[in-house]
Amino acid sequence: MKHMEMAPTGKVGNDLCMHAMGDTTRMPGLVDPAKLAAFVDPLPIPTVLRPEPGKLLTVRMAASQQKLHRDLPPTELWTYNGSYPGPTIEARSGQAFDVSWDNGLPTKHFLPVDHNICGAEADKPLVRAITHLHGAKVPRKDDGYPEDWYVPGKSRRHHYPNAQDAATLWYHDHAMGINRLNMYAGLMGLYLLRDEHELSLGLPSGDFELPLVIADRWLRDDGRLYYPDSGDATAPWVPEVFGNLTLVNGAILPRADVQPRRYRLRVVNAANGRFYHLRFKDGRPFQVIGSDQGLLAAPATMRAIFLAPGERADIVVDFAPLRGGTVELMNDALPLMRFAVGQGAVQDDSRVPDVLRDLPRVTEASASKTREMTLDEYSDCVATPMLMLLNGKRWHDPVTETIKIGSTEMWNLVNLTEDTHPVHLHLVRFQILDRRPYDVDEYMEKKTIRYVGLAQLPPPHERGWKDVVQSYPGMVTRIVATFDGYAGRYAWHCHLAEHEANEMMRPFEVVA
Ligand SMILES: [Cu+2]
């Protein structure tokens, strides 16, 4: 398709859109965030499950009621083990176990299923689920492949080898065609993988390590979740969802009472579509010690971090200078939560070493194969208002990426759209080589890349192992991954859940 057919769509998933949608948007019948008392609810901390090696852990998906703010009625959510976020699963590297993911959901969906979306056709059951452990290197049958969904009343057992480095992983629904709805309904939780090396570093731990699962939602005045639709009941899919309320661990504008000392924050951007530009209101610096796939080589001192859906940040912040004071965690100019720092004297034995781990940078030369992968956006006013594709192909088109197991490949993500897309690969970790501006129009015409600027190295906080990369518009983003571990068919996709659904997701096949 030619450039002219590209949709002149609204900005999706970037600052422009966040501001255009506005965080104070008030629609009739929806909760107005300005009317909610701030920092009155304590920051919820999900229950921690520590499975014993070799044992079976059972986690059950079910509808449940949960208060998201003191002054709001309870909200129906779909959760793992009755809470949003679900329980935090703590695992140790090298200690395998199995989880039985039981589907105890209702048989009717309470959010607008679009039967035009691939995998959600009218002949499919309305409610289906499959849990993907994001960032885990697992056999194909245990990955949570989108087509491995099952219906209420059924369960599926996944084996987690945990044969990888310590990292902030998270689990969430991945059912073909409806996972954007299932995730929005609440089906997600943290999975912290720890290893001996990380535990030896002396980082803040125990009560001084806080998970922060951040995601936006709309709520109706009666407390029910509102998921926007196109206005066409036969094709309700929308290309983006930006709620006006932000939940941190399931609470709107919560407060964490902390001590004047260092804390480790395990941050997940669990939103369907919103990017978060996180900073502290007073501009205080913090140390980023890890990214998606674990520790960086060295801490990166920052005052703000931009996280796309699916991305994680492992952060250490020192509240000692704030004894007796408060500080808000912000998304740009909007507060997300408050830290209220106690008065008492505390002894802080934690530390952040200057060297966190041995982490060699991968090189271009290590790749035995290079693939050019385009990110495309098409206007198709017949079926749907817009369509996002990878390599111009749909999910059901034949597999084009057949990869020899153990081989190292460089994927050049050629973004032809006007938006940033967070690209996630299942199974593997990768490093970002660089991003470089190129002539988009010339590529459309001749399919050749002409660079129009210098290659930009990723900033320090993106130089670790990653499993989501922000592919910027007008840039070629180069990543290098080694496809080791397991053979089989896995998925790669945009982590904007609405894009992924239509149809910014493709299979790749690892072969022996
Ligand atoms: Cu996208």
Side-chain angles (χ1 to χ4, degrees):
M1 296 195 203
K2 289 211 194 79
H3 193 200
M4 296 312 287
E5 289 165 344
M6 305 292 288
T9 53
K11 297 282 171 268
V12 178
N14 58 21
D15 272 323
L16 278 173
C17 193
M18 279 159 32
H19 294 141
M21 290 293 288
D23 286 81
T24 52
T25 309
R26 172 72 178 149
M27 283 158 57
L30 297 178
V31 170
D32 179 356
K35 292 196 177 139
L36 290 176
F39 319 128
V40 293
D41 290 297
L43 176 74
I45 304 295
T47 307
V48 175
L49 300 176
R50 293 187 183 85
E52 286 177 49
K55 288 275 173 62
L56 176 68
L57 180 71
T58 299
V59 177
R60 183 175 169 79
M61 302 166 219
S64 54
Q65 301 279 325
Q66 188 167 325
K67 272 177 84 73
L68 306 179
H69 185 275
R70 184 192 68 182
D71 299 329
L72 290 177
T75 297
E76 179 180 338
L77 298 171
W78 286 6
T79 62
Y80 292 101
N81 277 6
S83 73
Y84 167 83
T88 297
I89 298 175
E90 274 205 28
R92 291 289 286 268
S93 282
Q95 298 187 355
F97 57 82
D98 288 12
V99 178
S100 177
W101 299 101
D102 296 357
N103 185 346
L105 296 169
T107 52
K108 287 192 93 166
H109 218 296
F110 69 124
L111 299 176
V113 174
D114 187 330
H115 295 300
N116 303 292
I117 293 291
C118 178
E121 295 79 9
D123 62 342
K124 301 281 194 321
L126 278 172
V127 177
R128 301 168 280 113
I130 178 74
T131 307
H132 168 60
L133 179 52
H134 180 130
K137 179 182 282 297
V138 300
R140 159 64 172 79
K141 66 179 176 47
D142 305 300
D143 183 56
Y145 191 71
E147 290 171 345
D148 286 348
W149 52 263
Y150 48 101
V151 296
K154 302 284 185 189
S155 67
R156 187 179 170 104
R157 188 166 168 159
H158 283 170
H159 177 70
Y160 297 119
N162 296 313
Q164 62 190 92
D165 295 341
T168 311
L169 309 183
W170 64 301
Y171 58 92
H172 62 77
D173 186 72
H174 218 311
M176 193 78 202
I178 55 166
N179 65 321
R180 70 192 184 289
L181 307 175
N182 290 353
M183 289 167 69
Y184 194 85
L187 287 171
M188 62 181 68
L190 261 183
Y191 186 108
L192 298 178
L193 185 56
R194 305 190 189 278
D195 64 20
E196 295 300 327
H197 171 70
E198 183 206 291
L199 291 168
S200 73
L201 294 176
L203 298 167
S205 61
D207 291 342
F208 312 115
E209 182 188 43
L210 301 176
L212 299 180
V213 177
I214 303 175
D216 58 331
R217 295 289 183 274
W218 298 96
L219 290 176
R220 299 175 198 268
D221 285 332
D222 61 6
R224 282 182 301 144
L225 272 185
Y226 168 71
Y227 181 96
D229 61 68
S230 65
D232 175 352
T234 63
W237 176 84
V238 290
E240 68 221 27
V241 171
F242 300 110
N244 64 347
L245 301 164
T246 303
L247 306 180
V248 184
N249 295 352
I252 298 165
L253 290 166
R255 184 195 71 250
D257 293 318
V258 295
Q259 295 181 17
R261 51 157 295 148
R262 274 182 220 95
Y263 276 77
R264 182 178 183 188
L265 308 177
R266 310 294 291 262
V267 184
V268 181
N269 181 345
N272 279 33
R274 187 181 290 279
F275 290 59
Y276 287 99
H277 188 232
L278 300 174
R279 63 184 188 90
F280 290 96
K281 190 173 186 181
D282 60 3
R284 71 183 40 254
F286 51 85
Q287 289 172 293
V288 180
I289 60 168
S291 59
D292 305 335
Q293 284 283 321
L295 294 168
L296 301 174
T301 299
M302 302 178 75
R303 289 176 191 274
I305 186 167
F306 195 59
L307 280 188
E311 284 189 305
R312 287 87 74 202
D314 198 346
I315 286 170
V316 174
V317 59
D318 192 357
F319 294 121
L322 266 174
R323 183 184 303 271
T326 61
V327 68
E328 279 80 61
L329 178 68
M330 312 288 287
N331 174 32
D332 282 325
L334 291 160
L336 302 181
M337 66 171 293
R338 168 176 284 176
F339 293 95
V341 187
Q343 296 272 9
V346 293
Q347 192 181 337
D348 185 356
D349 297 324
S350 72
R351 60 194 194 97
V352 179
D354 294 335
V355 174
L356 293 166
R357 72 154 145 174
D358 187 28
L359 201 161
R361 283 283 292 163
V362 301
T363 62
E364 191 174 339
S366 66
S368 59
K369 187 173 178 71
T370 301
R371 297 180 195 266
E372 214 167 87
M373 309 289 220
T374 57
L375 281 56
D376 326 288
E377 188 169 297
Y378 300 110
S379 176
D380 171 5
C381 295
V382 182
T384 52
M386 199 201 304
L387 184 63
M388 265 81 58
L389 299 176
L390 298 169
N391 280 333
K393 298 208 160 48
R394 291 173 178 255
W395 173 255
H396 284 304
D397 288 332
V399 172
T400 42
E401 282 67 52
T402 303
I403 301 157
K404 208 167 155 241
I405 193 164
S407 66
T408 299
E409 296 199 351
M410 179 162 69
W411 286 19
N412 297 351
L413 305 172
V414 182
N415 189 338
L416 302 172
T417 78
E418 297 180 339
D419 309 302
T420 295
H421 301 268
V423 173
H424 172 47
L425 275 65
H426 289 209
L427 180 69
V428 296
R429 61 180 186 179
F430 55 76
Q431 285 186 22
I432 305 169
L433 274 186
D434 52 28
R435 298 181 177 95
R436 191 168 183 186
Y438 73 106
D439 187 318
V440 178
D441 291 329
E442 189 166 316
Y443 187 90
M444 294 286 186
E445 223 169 279
K446 301 178 188 162
K447 296 277 180 275
T448 55
I449 290 172
R450 184 170 63 83
Y451 288 111
V452 294
L454 297 175
Q456 299 163 14
L457 287 177
H461 72 279
E462 284 191 327
R463 279 184 211 175
W465 291 109
K466 296 276 293 165
D467 56 45
V468 178
V469 60
Q470 296 177 25
S471 170
Y472 299 158
M475 306 276 260
V476 175
T477 300
R478 303 195 303 167
I479 61 172
V480 174
T482 298
F483 291 79
D484 57 3
Y486 307 97
R489 190 170 291 192
Y490 292 85
W492 68 291
H493 60 88
C494 177
H495 219 287
L496 302 180
E498 284 67 29
H499 291 193
E500 171 194 337
N502 191 29
E503 289 201 22
M504 213 167 189
M505 179 163 75
R506 285 282 295 156
F508 66 87
E509 184 102 29
V510 179
V511 294

